[in-house]
Amino acid sequence: MPLPLYLLAVAVFAMGTSEFMLAGLVPDIATSLDVSVGTAGLLTSAFAVGMIVGAPLMAALARWWPARASLLGFVLVFAVAHVAGALTTSFAVLAVTRVIAALANAGFLAVALSTAATLVASDRKGRALAVLLSGTTVATIAGVPGGAVLGTVLGWRATFWAIALLCLPAAFGVAKGIPARVGRTPRDTRAGSSLRHEIAQLAMPKLVLVMLLGALVNAATFATFTFLTPIVTDTAGLGELWVSVVLVLFGAGSFVGVTLAGRLSDQRPGIVIAVGGPLLLLGWVALAALAAQPVALLLLVFVQGTLSFALGGTLIARVLHEAAGAPTMGGSYATAALNIGAAGGPVVAAATLGTDAGDLGPVWASGLLVAVALLIGLPLRRFIAPRVGQAIR
């Protein structure tokens, strides 16, 4: 894999840490800003909404700029938004800074995904995506648990300051590692790749279908991940520092899952969907039933991280494959699919917290979301993930 892919992954690590870090900070933010835990959890949805809106908008604007300039600008805006978030005492202002950070993150990821696709052959897009998303999985292994510990010791604002500082080496890596001429400019844009033509790709049934399935699987992931802290501390009865351990296990599983997806999504995506999907559903049911048992909780968190990212990564790789006719906007479609799920999952999960399911409501919601994805996707598996060399129109 080309070196620029790994440098892009460094920046994705910084942004991924910010996107996931609220899983360990929600109770602290709720107490500090005098809002409910459910309301504080909606900061994840606010970030995801910014990602959904920002992905196509920022990609459409950035398609006229060199990739390096776009990526660098997005990283710097992201850093400034976190400084503002660290300083505010208003929940509303914090929510706004999350949306601004999400817009920058969306623009960065959309451009990075499109750039990654141009750096490798068409039959290696899945592996390129795995390298890029490894930044996110490393964030869940190291960045997010580290942020949770930092937040526990010094308060949630210290984590926001840390993210802002982390953006500096990420910006340096983009500035030094991405060639100036990588990316598309007006002179490079062919008539067949006009903005109107690229947006028209969204009318393709296979593209819409894989985006929907990717959104559902990611919604399931975020439904539980956002409200994982109460499950660890209240349901399982573990101490607050165990939250970081659980996040590390989830992150380690997600790294394994992304690696598997990178190996299989280009050649055998149907197997990942047919096998990984039902196992993911069974895993959420098992987690809901056994979360009160600490050992079972720790094991299942790792398993669910693996299955969630293996299946989700494969589906997002299929988005990039189906969006091949949108070379500058395809990355935004993949980003939007991920974050429609990231926005919807916590909303669905928050609605379950006041029910008899209590802290385990989000886990049951995750199972329901995956079940819906399977009901839609399994009968159409050969349509959305044909075998290599098999042309399905």
Side-chain angles (χ1 to χ4, degrees):
M1 291 286 104
L3 177 61
L5 276 177
Y6 295 95
L7 295 172
L8 290 174
V10 172
V12 172
F13 165 75
M15 295 185 172
T17 298
S18 175
E19 183 173 6
F20 285 101
M21 69 181 181
L22 291 184
L25 302 177
V26 165
D28 192 15
I29 292 174
T31 301
S32 174
L33 300 182
D34 195 25
V35 296
S36 69
V37 171
T39 299
L42 294 180
L43 286 172
T44 299
S45 294
F47 192 93
V49 167
M51 292 283 285
I52 295 166
V53 174
L57 178 61
M58 296 296 103
L61 293 174
R63 74 193 302 269
W64 303 108
W65 308 329
R68 184 170 69 182
S70 300
L71 295 168
L72 184 58
F74 288 136
V75 170
L76 294 178
V77 170
F78 190 81
V80 171
H82 281 77
V83 171
L87 293 172
T88 188
T89 58
S90 166
F91 180 80
V93 172
L94 180 61
V96 170
T97 67
R98 295 302 289 168
V99 173
I100 293 173
L103 289 172
N105 191 358
F108 182 92
L109 191 56
V111 174
L113 285 168
S114 295
T115 300
T118 68
L119 295 173
V120 297
S122 60
D123 62 349
R124 304 187 78 191
K125 287 183 179 180
R127 292 191 65 184
L129 176 65
V131 170
L132 198 62
L133 292 183
S134 68
T136 298
T137 61
V138 173
T140 60
I141 295 170
V144 176
V149 171
L150 188 63
T152 299
V153 176
L154 299 178
W156 65 269
R157 297 180 191 278
T159 303
F160 276 68
W161 283 111
I163 294 295
L165 292 175
L166 192 60
C167 286
L168 298 181
F172 180 81
V174 169
K176 294 297 183 180
I178 304 300
R181 296 186 62 83
V182 169
R184 301 175 64 84
T185 66
R187 292 183 181 180
D188 301 323
T189 304
R190 299 185 297 270
S193 295
S194 67
L195 182 58
R196 180 178 298 179
H197 172 82
E198 295 199 30
I199 292 176
Q201 300 298 303
L202 288 171
M204 297 171 56
K206 287 174 69 174
L207 176 58
V208 173
L209 181 58
V210 291
M211 288 178 65
L212 172 62
L213 295 177
L216 285 169
V217 170
N218 207 45
T221 303
F222 271 82
T224 294
F225 190 81
T226 301
F227 298 102
L228 198 53
T229 297
I231 295 174
V232 174
T233 58
D234 297 339
T235 303
L238 297 172
E240 288 189 2
L241 290 179
W242 277 96
V243 173
S244 298
V245 175
V246 170
L247 292 175
V248 168
L249 288 172
F250 183 88
S254 68
F255 182 80
V256 173
V258 163
T259 302
L260 290 174
R263 300 284 182 181
L264 297 174
S265 61
D266 288 321
Q267 302 297 323
R268 308 297 292 273
I271 290 180
V272 179
I273 295 171
V275 177
L279 288 177
L280 180 61
L281 174 58
L282 290 175
W284 287 128
V285 173
L287 182 59
L290 301 173
Q293 307 298 322
V295 175
L297 173 65
L298 296 176
L299 175 62
L300 287 168
V301 162
F302 175 82
V303 170
Q304 291 306 92
T306 300
L307 293 172
S308 294
F309 276 75
L311 183 59
T314 296
L315 290 168
I316 295 306
R318 296 310 304 169
V319 172
L320 291 177
H321 277 281
E322 299 303 332
T328 65
M329 295 294 291
S332 72
Y333 302 156
T335 303
L338 283 170
N339 288 282
I340 287 172
V347 172
V348 174
T352 69
L353 292 175
T355 67
D356 292 339
D359 291 337
L360 293 177
V363 185
W364 289 112
S366 295
L368 177 61
L369 289 164
V370 172
V372 172
L374 292 178
L375 288 173
I376 297 171
L378 286 182
L380 300 172
R381 178 171 60 89
R382 296 189 182 278
F383 175 67
I384 62 178
R387 294 178 181 176
V388 176
Q390 179 182 4
I392 292 184
R393 294 179 173 84

